[in-house]
Amino acid sequence: MEFLADLLGFLRARKKYWLLPIILLLLIVGALLLLTAGTALSPFIYTLF
């Protein structure tokens, strides 16, 4: 959690707000891949990428 606080502090200090949607998208895709890794949905998720 400290990493996320540091990242948000960096974004706020450097005014790099345009990076926030990219980071959120990467986190969502990573969570989707982790949550579906071993289920019957795996072949359908991997065809998206």
Side-chain angles (χ1 to χ4, degrees):
M1 287 308 218
E2 184 179 344
F3 173 73
L4 292 176
D6 287 341
L7 183 62
L8 288 175
F10 169 78
L11 293 175
R12 197 173 302 129
R14 303 277 191 248
K15 301 210 182 343
K16 303 276 186 191
Y17 298 117
W18 57 271
L19 284 173
L20 198 56
I22 297 170
I23 293 169
L24 288 175
L25 183 67
L26 287 174
L27 287 174
I28 290 171
V29 168
L32 181 67
L33 288 174
L34 283 177
L35 292 175
T36 60
T39 65
L41 293 175
S42 297
F44 301 110
I45 297 297
Y46 291 122
T47 58
L48 295 175
F49 304 105

